[in-house]
């Protein structure tokens, strides 16, 4: 599978809600994990560039559940896109990131 790096320098990202674990087996509730045991999460983001935004779902692996709230500005690092297709002909583009973290906010009382 070929992963295509996405240049995020001129983009702003905002959380559309909290991170949700990716489910491997809906019958058992088993979650998907990486080879090193980190859980895979889906984060819905608003990706904004040049005053235009698009909602995208991004997969990220994390040892602890990421804590995001709707409207929270985020830093997305190592964003990659890749094409996918199912046996029944469905296809699309998916995204994964090396990390997604809240942007630092200003500290009250700081000069």
């Amino acid at each position: 599978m070929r992963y295509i790096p996405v240049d995020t320098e001129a983009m702003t990202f905002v959380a559309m809600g909290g991170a949700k674990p990716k489910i491997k087996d809906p019958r058992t509730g088993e979650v998907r994990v990486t080879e090193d045991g980190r859980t895979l999460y889906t984060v819905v983001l608003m990706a904004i560039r040049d005053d235009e935004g698009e909602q995208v779902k991004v997969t990220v692996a994390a040892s602890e559940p990421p804590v995001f709230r709707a409207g929270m500005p985020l830093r997305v690092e190592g964003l990659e896109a890749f094409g996918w297709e199912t046996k029944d002909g469905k296809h699309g583009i998916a995204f994964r990131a090396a990390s997604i973290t809240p942007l630092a906010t200003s500290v009250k009382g700081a000069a």
Side-chain angles (χ1 to χ4, degrees), residues 14-54:
V14 178
M16 299 297 291
K20 294 185 169 71
K22 290 184 77 87
I23 304 298
K24 181 177 183 177
D25 186 343
R27 292 174 291 130
T28 64
E30 180 184 4
V31 297
R32 294 186 60 197
V33 296
T34 62
E35 290 179 4
D36 63 0
R38 293 178 298 152
T39 300
L40 292 174
Y41 293 91
T42 299
V43 181
V44 180
L45 307 173
M46 179 62 67
I48 304 165
R49 181 176 177 191
D50 297 330
D51 292 329
E52 292 186 17
E54 184 168 336

Side-chain angles (χ1 to χ4, degrees), residues 1-104:
M1 187 174 313
R2 181 178 165 118
Y3 293 93
I4 302 166
V6 177
D7 182 6
T8 60
E9 284 297 313
M11 299 174 77
T12 301
F13 295 94
V14 178
M16 299 297 291
K20 294 185 169 71
K22 290 184 77 87
I23 304 298
K24 181 177 183 177
D25 186 343
R27 292 174 291 130
T28 64
E30 180 184 4
V31 297
R32 294 186 60 197
V33 296
T34 62
E35 290 179 4
D36 63 0
R38 293 178 298 152
T39 300
L40 292 174
Y41 293 91
T42 299
V43 181
V44 180
L45 307 173
M46 179 62 67
I48 304 165
R49 181 176 177 191
D50 297 330
D51 292 329
E52 292 186 17
E54 184 168 336
Q55 185 173 308
V56 293
K57 290 183 181 179
V58 179
T59 298
V60 65
S63 300
E64 298 291 326
V67 179
F68 306 133
R69 294 179 316 280
M72 181 181 283
L74 300 173
R75 172 176 285 114
V76 178
E77 295 180 335
L79 186 63
E80 298 176 319
F82 59 96
W84 59 268
E85 185 173 358
T86 63
K87 293 177 184 175
D88 62 358
K90 294 180 184 177
H91 60 278
I93 297 174
F95 296 91
R96 73 176 186 181
S99 68
I100 302 175
T101 55
L103 280 177

